[in-house]
């Protein structure tokens, strides 16, 4: 199939109209329609900016000629970071590489994701590990699904044997030639940090505008997603206890759509600081920053770089009772649907700031460290606060991150 050129009469910069195309009917469409000088494209080919669903990526990249000035919201082989099995594979490779170059102690910094195996391909390796250690609890996740679909917990190996027989039957069946669905099995974090007896995880937003060199921004705001039921390992089949996904929790009988099950990161940071002190919370958030950096570096040389692409990732982080953060997964298309007014306000501001950084209007100088509530934390190397670049404090220079900090929104294009 021949590649279709995008017919454009202008670069969509300066005072000229920026034509956008969007396949989603949620907050992002509201943001695009609200931007001065932006206009929805009338045709399929006449656009400058395209926010598209990931299911369309092959059609876009394989059959469309993208002009130099256009911008799209996904990189071509995005799955290297966001598909659960590939993410684990890349992180394991990075950890081995660091161990070879700098030693096992330095590689320990990459121990922020649970023991993970891909099934069915690594089933026998998983079984060996399972038998060598205290079995504990494990969690099964389909690699290409979201919103908690297909996830289940187990403790006994025979519980997974039923699943394995199902994949073998599918593979041997004369009625289908499809490959069995791929899962990952992970060691379940049995000691999550609890607030009010309930489990929660963090949804944090990271924007990548370039992989070569790596340039990444961290959004100050986000939220903690709570389970609707008090935590207990006695009820491993209760999704309302163990899965914090909003798609799951909103189906609980006593779910309140107005209150939801969320705290802002600002609320969480205040709570943790009051209970554990500033130093402990600063160290926790420093470790969370490391998760962003190492995970992006793990696939930096694999992702197909394209200056016309950017990506907004939704990181899911769990904190355990020992105050250690764990990477649960990275979402390629974090939900942009709002559950209430506060959620809509957060996501509208988030997406508006994303568009300010993508900068179709050519307003930025390229030297900004802050745009809206986004802070540049990596630009071909760590980005530090200017007043601590030569710091002689014990912990060294301070990274340019303000995750969960309270403050008024900065002007959209303010730099430092």
């Amino acid at each position: 199939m021949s590649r279709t050129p995008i017919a454009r009469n202008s670069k969509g910069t300066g005072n000229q109209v920026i034509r956008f195309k969007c396949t989603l009917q949620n907050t992002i469409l509201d943001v695009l329609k609200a931007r001065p000088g932006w206009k929805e494209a009338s045709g399929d080919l006449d656009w400058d900016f395209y926010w598209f669903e990931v299911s369309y990526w092959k059609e876009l990249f394989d059959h469309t000629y993208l002009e130099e000035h256009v911008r799209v919201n996904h990189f071509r082989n995005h799955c290297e970071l966001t598909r659960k099995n590939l993410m684990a594979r890349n992180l394991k490779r990075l950890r081995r590489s660091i161990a070879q170059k700098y030693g096992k102690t330095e590689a320990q910094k990459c121990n922020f994701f649970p023991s993970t195996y891909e099934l069915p391909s690594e089933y026998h390796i998983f079984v060996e590990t399972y038998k060598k250690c205290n079995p504990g609890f494990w969690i099964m996740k389909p690699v290409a699904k979201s919103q908690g679909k297909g996830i289940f917990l187990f403790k006994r190996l025979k519980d997974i044997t039923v699943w394995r027989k199902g994949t073998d039957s599918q593979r041997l069946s004369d009625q289908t030639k499809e490959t069995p669905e791929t899962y990952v099995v992970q060691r379940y974090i049995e000691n999550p940090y609890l607030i009010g007896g309930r489990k929660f995880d963090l949804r944090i937003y990271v924007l990548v505008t370039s992989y070569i060199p790596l340039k990444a921004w961290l959004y100050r705001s986000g939220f903690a997603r709570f389970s609707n039921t008090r935590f207990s390992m006695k009820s491993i089949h209760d999704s309302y206890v163990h899965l914090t996904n909003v798609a799951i929790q909103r189906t609980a009988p006593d779910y309140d759509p107005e209150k939801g099950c969320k705290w802002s990161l600002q609320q969480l940071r205040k709570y943790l600081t009051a209970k554990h002190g500033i130093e402990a919370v600063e160290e926790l958030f420093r470790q969370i920053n490391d998760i962003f950096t190492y995970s992006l570096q793990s696939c930096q040389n694999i992702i197909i770089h394209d200056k016309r692409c950017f990506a907004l990732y939704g990181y899911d982080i769990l904190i355990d009772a020992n105050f250690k953060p764990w990477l649960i997964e990275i979402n390629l298309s974090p939900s942009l649907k709002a559950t209430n007014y506060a959620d809509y306000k957060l996501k509208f501001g988030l997406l508006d700031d994303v568009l300010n950084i993508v900068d179709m209007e050519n307003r930025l100088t390229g030297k900004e460290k802050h745009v809206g509530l986004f802070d540049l934390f990596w630009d071909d190397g760590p980005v530090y606060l200017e007043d601590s670049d030569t710091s002689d404090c014990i912990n060294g220079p301070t990274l340019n991150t303000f995750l969960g900090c309270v403050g008024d929104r900065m002007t959209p294009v303010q730099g430092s």
Side-chain angles (χ1 to χ4, degrees):
M1 186 174 183
S2 60
R3 293 167 63 88
T4 305
I6 294 178
R8 290 296 298 120
N9 296 320
S10 68
K11 293 185 178 181
T13 58
N15 296 323
Q16 296 171 336
V17 172
I18 298 172
R19 295 173 175 83
F20 70 86
K21 186 174 175 61
C22 182
T23 60
L24 301 175
Q25 299 290 324
N26 52 39
T27 313
I28 181 57
L29 185 59
D30 293 345
V31 173
L32 290 167
K33 288 182 175 180
R35 288 185 73 83
W38 288 53
K39 180 180 179 181
E40 194 162 7
S42 56
D44 290 337
L45 301 178
D46 192 19
W47 51 265
D48 306 297
F49 180 93
Y50 195 174
W51 194 290
F52 62 95
E53 294 175 277
V54 70
S55 59
Y56 185 66
W57 76 270
K58 283 190 175 181
E59 177 66 24
L60 179 68
F61 285 112
D62 292 348
H63 306 301
T64 304
Y65 173 74
L66 301 179
E67 292 193 7
E68 289 294 311
H69 74 281
V70 303
R71 295 293 181 269
V72 296
N73 66 311
H74 292 300
F75 289 88
R76 181 183 290 265
N77 57 335
H78 47 77
C79 57
E80 292 290 343
L81 179 66
T82 57
R83 184 164 288 212
K84 299 176 184 68
N85 58 331
L86 299 182
M87 180 191 79
R89 187 183 304 171
N90 290 327
L91 285 171
K92 289 178 182 178
R93 185 179 59 250
L94 176 66
R95 187 166 58 191
R96 290 194 300 269
S97 176
I98 292 176
Q100 291 172 357
K101 292 181 180 179
Y102 306 107
K104 293 183 178 180
T105 301
E106 189 68 19
Q108 290 295 318
K109 294 180 180 179
C110 288
N111 288 344
F112 52 74
F113 62 102
S115 298
T116 304
Y117 300 91
E118 182 178 330
L119 302 185
S121 62
E122 294 181 332
Y123 178 78
H124 296 293
I125 301 175
F126 159 66
V127 171
E128 289 179 10
T129 302
Y130 177 92
K131 292 179 177 179
K132 287 179 181 178
C133 61
N134 178 18
F137 289 88
W138 296 77
I139 186 167
M140 287 276 288
K141 303 176 183 180
V143 300
K145 291 182 180 179
S146 59
Q147 300 183 333
K149 297 175 182 176
I151 295 177
F152 64 91
L153 274 68
F154 69 95
K155 185 174 185 179
R156 298 173 301 178
L157 199 57
K158 68 178 183 179
D159 294 334
I160 201 176
T161 303
V162 176
W163 169 87
R164 184 167 182 261
K165 286 181 178 178
T167 62
D168 288 343
S169 297
Q170 181 184 11
R171 184 164 53 246
L172 297 174
S173 172
D174 293 332
Q175 298 177 356
T176 178
K177 295 182 180 179
E178 295 181 1
T179 303
E181 184 175 10
T182 303
Y183 274 68
V184 293
V185 57
Q186 290 182 326
R187 194 68 184 260
Y188 186 67
I189 307 300
E190 300 177 39
N191 63 330
Y193 188 100
L194 304 178
I195 295 180
R198 289 171 170 78
K199 177 182 175 180
F200 67 93
D201 69 0
L202 310 182
R203 167 55 60 85
I204 302 172
Y205 299 100
V206 172
L207 174 67
V208 175
T209 53
S210 171
Y211 272 99
I212 303 177
L214 181 61
K215 188 169 185 177
W217 302 73
L218 177 61
Y219 200 62
R220 296 185 184 188
S221 193
F223 47 86
R225 305 178 299 184
F226 286 81
S227 64
N228 207 59
T229 306
R230 293 179 68 86
F231 183 80
S232 172
M233 289 305 300
K234 295 180 180 179
S235 51
I236 66 171
H237 301 299
D238 190 341
S239 297
Y240 300 133
V241 172
H242 300 284
L243 305 183
T244 59
N245 308 65
V246 175
I248 298 290
Q249 295 299 327
R250 69 192 309 171
T251 64
D254 55 346
Y255 178 78
D256 185 342
E258 290 300 318
K259 295 181 180 179
C261 294
K262 294 180 180 179
W263 275 12
S264 69
L265 284 185
Q266 289 87 343
Q267 287 176 284
L268 180 68
R269 185 158 188 155
K270 282 183 177 180
Y271 174 89
L272 295 177
T273 300
K275 192 168 183 179
H276 300 281
I278 294 177
E279 290 186 4
V281 174
E282 287 290 344
E283 174 59 20
L284 170 66
F285 279 75
R286 185 197 64 76
Q287 292 181 41
I288 293 176
N289 287 333
D290 286 345
I291 291 177
F292 306 140
T293 299
Y294 284 122
S295 60
L296 293 174
Q297 287 178 334
S298 74
C299 65
Q300 181 181 0
N301 296 325
I302 301 174
I303 295 289
I304 300 173
H305 173 71
D306 189 329
K307 67 178 183 180
R308 293 162 295 195
C309 302
F310 66 94
L312 177 67
Y313 300 114
Y315 276 72
D316 292 344
I317 306 291
L318 177 74
I319 302 170
D320 70 17
N322 297 318
F323 235 39
K324 174 181 172 63
W326 296 88
L327 174 61
I328 303 303
E329 63 183 58
I330 304 172
N331 294 271
L332 173 67
S333 300
S335 174
L336 302 180
K337 293 181 180 179
T339 55
N340 53 37
Y341 175 73
D343 198 36
Y344 180 82
K345 185 177 179 182
L346 182 152
K347 290 175 179 176
F348 192 100
L350 163 74
L351 294 167
D352 200 40
D353 286 344
V354 168
L355 298 185
N356 287 330
I357 292 174
V358 174
D359 193 26
M360 296 295 292
E361 298 91 345
N362 284 342
R363 294 174 179 171
L364 302 182
T365 66
K367 298 181 180 180
E368 290 81 6
K369 286 188 176 182
H370 312 282
V371 176
L373 293 187
F374 272 107
D375 301 300
L376 182 65
F377 72 93
W378 195 271
D379 189 6
D380 201 21
V383 178
Y384 298 112
L385 292 177
E386 287 190 345
D387 59 0
S388 64
D389 285 345
T390 57
S391 172
D392 59 354
C393 62
I394 296 176
N395 296 321
T398 303
L399 279 173
N400 184 52
T401 59
F402 300 88
L403 186 62
C405 291
V406 180
D408 296 332
R409 292 181 60 82
M410 304 171 68
T411 55
V413 296
Q414 182 173 346
S416 59

